Amino acid sequence: MSKDTNPKEAQIKSAYADVNKYGNNREYDKAIKAVNRILGVAPDDQTALHCKVVCLVQLSKFEEAHKFIEKNRLTSLIFEKSYCEYRLNRQQQALKTIDDGIVQPLPPNLKELRTQILYRLERYEECLDSYKDIIKNTSDEYEDERRTNLSAVAANLAVDKNKDVPDVT
Amino acid sequence: LTPDMEPIPCKPLFFDLAMNYLELPSLEDKLESPGKKGASITG
């Protein structure tokens, strides 16, 4: 093989540099164009396929992202698939996608998403337990927001006058 | 003639924190410079 990088490889490398640059700047409309350049010459590039899904979701194109995942059989993208379903208001399916994924124990991203799905499904008691577990085991920059969510769960539980208001302090 | 005001529960604030986990995959192995790669192959 020649010592020079072949043109296709150089094209892919340069496109990835753009994906990286625009991704870091959160300019996903530009990033997706660079991703499409990669997929134009390497349609099975798994990293590029993953990038395209993330860009579509970041651009709120949930339906398109979901179809893209299914069409390309991107079975490893459980989080992205379930998140699309969550945003498309298909909560039962979103929960099933996670629970059928046989990832145990759930990594933080799937655990967070699953808890939000439980909230939308109004399964508040499970949701409360799940948030308590996340809060106990997480230290990140979103602890205040997570406590706000926990309060929202408690508020919904408090609507039922037959039950005690859970202690979330 | 307007009915009396009465309090109703407000919709609690609820954040989408899962969205923060939605990131591009690592592109590290896709970004290494051609020069660097060539050097490692030829030693």
Side-chain angles (χ1 to χ4, degrees):
Chain A
M1 220 178 96
S2 146
K3 199 180 157 210
D4 295 327
T5 321
N6 73 52
K8 186 176 145 183
E9 242 177 68
Q11 212 177 336
I12 291 173
K13 196 152 277 182
S14 125
Y16 265 119
D18 283 349
V19 176
N20 191 48
K21 179 177 74 180
Y22 294 129
N24 288 338
N25 292 336
R26 309 189 68 79
E27 295 177 277
Y28 294 104
D29 52 336
K30 289 180 183 163
I32 206 167
K33 286 181 183 151
V35 173
N36 286 335
R37 272 173 23 226
I38 300 165
L39 293 173
V41 287
D44 297 324
D45 186 316
Q46 293 301 306
T47 307
L49 291 165
H50 186 170
C51 288
K52 177 141 175 171
V53 170
V54 171
C55 289
L56 286 171
V57 176
Q58 289 285 0
L59 294 166
S60 296
K61 295 180 175 174
F62 306 115
E63 190 75 60
E64 194 179 337
H66 192 266
K67 283 192 179 130
F68 191 81
I69 290 168
E70 301 234 294
K71 194 183 79 183
N72 292 284
R73 297 193 176 85
L74 304 175
T75 50
S76 66
L77 301 186
I78 294 171
F79 174 77
E80 287 78 4
K81 181 164 184 270
S82 178
Y83 186 78
C84 288
E85 289 157 352
Y86 168 78
R87 294 296 298 265
L88 291 165
N89 224 1
R90 300 177 201 152
Q91 310 305 340
Q92 293 289 0
Q93 183 55 51
L95 189 66
K96 192 174 180 314
T97 297
I98 293 177
D99 290 346
D100 287 355
I102 56 160
V103 194
Q104 281 296 343
L106 291 180
N109 60 346
L110 287 175
K111 180 121 184 143
E112 190 94 53
L113 177 56
R114 191 177 187 279
T115 310
Q116 289 179 205
I117 295 166
L118 291 173
Y119 184 82
R120 291 269 188 96
L121 286 169
E122 302 181 13
R123 287 162 62 171
Y124 298 122
E125 292 188 358
E126 289 164 79
C127 186
L128 188 81
D129 290 342
S130 192
Y131 266 129
K132 283 181 172 174
D133 187 49
I134 294 176
I135 288 169
K136 200 172 69 186
N137 295 301
T138 314
S139 75
D140 61 16
E141 56 194 300
Y142 301 110
E143 288 173 29
D144 290 342
E145 286 83 355
R146 211 170 277 116
R147 293 208 76 86
T148 301
N149 287 2
L150 184 71
S151 302
V153 183
N156 280 284
L157 280 166
V159 171
D160 187 343
K161 293 198 171 48
N162 299 316
K163 288 182 188 153
D164 294 332
V165 180
D167 179 16
V168 293
T169 53
Chain B
L1 284 169
T2 49
D4 289 342
M5 294 282 218
E6 62 175 295
I8 57 159
C10 71
K11 198 178 166 207
L13 193 60
F14 189 86
F15 292 103
D16 178 1
L17 296 176
M19 181 74 184
N20 298 317
Y21 287 102
L22 194 99
E23 289 173 347
L24 292 173
S26 167
L27 302 178
E28 213 173 305
D29 59 326
K30 305 282 185 187
L31 294 172
E32 56 187 29
S33 71
K36 196 174 126 201
K37 194 179 177 184
S40 70
I41 289 168
T42 56

